[in-house]
Amino acid sequence: MKITGDQQLIKKMNKTIVLDTIRQRQPLSRADISAAIGLNKATVSSLVAELIDSRLVTESGPGESSGGRKPTLLLFNRSAGYAIGIDIRVNDLLAVLVDLEGYVLQEKMVALSDFSPENVLEQIRKTIRQLGRKLPDSPYGIVGIGIGVPGLVDEKSRVVSAPNLGWNQIDLYEALASEFGTNIHIDNEANAGAIGEKLYGAGREALNLIYLSIGIGIGSGIIVGGELYRGTSNFSGEVGHMTVAENGPLCRCGNRGCWETLASEKALLDRAAKQWSGTLPDLEQIIRLAREGEAEAVRLMNETGAQLGVGLANLVNILNPELIVIGNRLSMAGDLLQDAMLQTIENRSLSYHRKKTNVAFANLGIRSTALGAASMPITAFLSEPDAAPVHAESADAGQ
């Protein structure tokens, strides 16, 4: 009998559901899958056989018997392939090589002094090749690449604007696809960070969360009902540019009193520059001094924490989220910012709104964006596992 397009689509969808069930609930048997998703055992067995043939699923041995023969348990083969996630930041880029469950195998940081698209692209290419060169043996090699960019990224993965890099209308996808394949995903770095914390970090149990990426600027990724909220033009989340002080400092966007002019890493460093003469301290040095009890460093942290709390109170009142996760570099100072930040939220937010809102610092630290970026090609690959991957040998080309 000829299989119609509808039947093929249904089979593909069922296969994806079976694979996802194994990933989420492993180890489990074919009978467990059948009971969990409502497909008959013969259909489940057929789909599992295909997944085993494709080496995405393995058999791990017998499970507990419920009266008859012991069932064979199934596991997701997280080492069937790998993905690369890249976080382009203002001073460097961070790249991670992960397996299909997001476990980091390799990590590489590359300093950036030249932010031209040509130089950054060349550093990305070199980094991908270097990570691919030491790839463990696997049936699929590198299945794809994800990149987080500190700027506006449209629906076609083009970087519309990245002011801190000096970029406008840059097509990273086209520049990379000819060498590394089509499973390449470009997104705003805060969106990627939100996905990273939702899948692997502080937001695993939350359906509604806001991830704040606080570095030179402030961006956010907003997850509603477990899904990323992108807005009409894919540009949601620019919370750093909400006005919190009518006549505040001039922002790079042209407005005055934007939240990021008062509560970002750059704002903290600008305040520090007014306090210390000579060699200006960086964030790590200020954190160290504050932990040692140096009065001016402690004051800086308290002031930044209070300004952070002002914007957070607005987000609590407007969005009433279940969880707010603070990530990127400022999260390194979480313990020093927390008291002033929480006190300001308490003073400025509506009591009913904040009652069920928790605020946490990123579990993944500065890796949130890179891991979230890596998850995007993994998700695409596992929903279309027959698509051509970026094999290790192609990633290593040109060396």
Side-chain angles (χ1 to χ4, degrees):
M1 181 181 71
K2 185 177 180 179
I3 299 177
T4 68
D6 285 348
Q7 287 174 308
Q8 289 175 334
L9 177 60
I10 290 169
K11 179 182 177 182
K12 175 185 171 182
M13 292 172 63
N14 285 338
K15 188 175 179 181
T16 301
I17 292 169
V18 168
L19 178 59
D20 192 56
T21 302
I22 295 170
R23 290 178 66 201
Q24 298 298 326
R25 305 189 185 189
Q26 61 184 318
L28 75 174
S29 68
R30 291 163 176 82
D32 293 332
I33 297 170
S34 178
I37 65 178
L39 286 177
N40 67 59
K41 293 180 181 179
T43 299
V44 168
S45 292
S46 174
L47 295 173
V48 166
E50 292 185 17
L51 290 169
I52 290 173
D53 286 343
S54 66
R55 298 172 67 182
L56 291 172
V57 169
T58 61
E59 294 181 322
S60 69
E64 292 295 324
S65 171
S66 58
R69 187 173 63 181
K70 289 184 177 182
T72 300
L73 297 180
L74 302 166
L75 293 173
F76 173 60
N77 180 13
R78 74 188 201 196
S79 300
Y82 304 92
I84 292 174
I86 298 173
D87 179 9
I88 301 175
R89 304 186 294 201
V90 173
N91 297 311
D92 56 38
L93 63 84
L94 173 67
V96 294
L97 175 74
V98 303
D99 66 20
L100 297 181
E101 286 191 340
Y103 289 89
V104 177
L105 282 78
Q106 295 182 51
E107 180 174 324
K108 184 174 178 61
M109 190 175 293
V110 179
L112 293 175
S113 55
D114 176 358
F115 308 120
S116 67
E118 296 77 16
N119 179 64
V120 175
L121 274 164
E122 185 54 32
Q123 296 303 323
I124 289 172
R125 291 187 185 101
K126 286 181 180 178
T127 301
I128 293 170
R129 294 174 193 141
Q130 288 168 353
L131 292 176
R133 193 184 305 136
K134 299 178 181 179
L135 200 69
D137 290 336
S138 67
Y140 293 99
I142 296 175
V143 303
I145 297 157
I147 301 174
V149 181
L152 302 178
V153 180
D154 68 15
E155 302 95 325
K156 296 182 179 179
S157 293
R158 289 176 301 205
V159 182
V160 175
S161 174
N164 285 328
L165 299 176
W167 290 8
N168 287 289
Q169 301 298 331
I170 303 299
D171 197 334
L172 295 180
Y173 178 89
E174 284 297 324
L176 296 170
S178 61
E179 182 173 356
F180 300 113
T182 59
N183 193 14
I184 296 176
H185 299 255
I186 319 292
D187 209 335
N188 170 266
E189 55 90 19
N191 284 344
I195 294 170
E197 288 293 328
K198 175 73 181 83
L199 290 177
Y200 310 123
R204 289 188 214 196
E205 305 301 321
L207 281 176
N208 302 290
L209 69 90
I210 302 170
Y211 170 79
L212 292 174
S213 174
I214 307 182
I216 298 300
I218 301 178
S220 76
I222 302 168
I223 290 179
V224 179
E227 300 293 330
L228 191 67
Y229 174 74
R230 293 187 172 277
T232 302
S233 304
N234 208 53
F235 299 152
S236 67
E238 290 295 323
V239 297
H241 296 290
M242 63 179 172
T243 302
V244 295
E246 183 179 359
N247 297 309
L250 181 65
C251 181
R252 59 187 170 82
C253 74
N255 190 16
R256 282 193 174 274
C258 291
W259 189 26
E260 68 178 46
T261 67
L262 298 167
S264 65
E265 176 188 354
K266 182 178 184 302
L268 187 152
L269 295 178
D270 287 345
R271 291 191 194 100
K274 296 176 182 178
Q275 288 183 197
W276 279 287
S277 57
T279 303
L280 296 178
D282 57 20
L283 178 61
E284 288 81 0
Q285 290 171 318
I286 296 172
I287 290 172
R288 178 179 56 78
L289 289 170
R291 288 190 176 135
E292 291 172 355
E294 202 278 334
E296 287 302 313
V298 171
R299 189 185 67 78
L300 271 176
M301 287 296 173
N302 286 335
E303 187 175 345
T304 302
Q307 293 293 348
L308 191 55
V310 171
L312 290 174
N314 288 340
L315 295 177
V316 168
N317 291 343
I318 295 167
L319 295 174
N320 188 212
E322 178 182 351
L323 176 66
I324 297 174
V325 180
I326 298 170
N328 207 335
R329 283 176 51 80
L330 209 62
S331 66
M332 297 188 297
D335 58 317
L336 300 167
L337 300 167
Q338 184 167 280
D339 289 347
M341 177 189 74
L342 293 178
Q343 186 60 56
T344 305
I345 295 172
E346 178 78 16
N347 293 341
R348 290 178 175 265
S349 63
L350 298 171
S351 60
Y352 289 108
H353 289 63
R354 70 171 178 269
K355 190 173 183 180
K356 293 185 178 180
T357 295
N358 293 310
V359 180
F361 290 90
N363 282 1
L364 305 177
I366 62 171
R367 288 176 166 178
S368 303
T369 290
L371 285 168
S375 77
M376 296 176 189
I378 292 173
T379 298
F381 168 70
L382 294 177
S383 65
E384 193 76 56
D386 297 327
V390 181
H391 289 286
E393 56 268 27
S394 66
D396 195 29
Q399 289 296 303

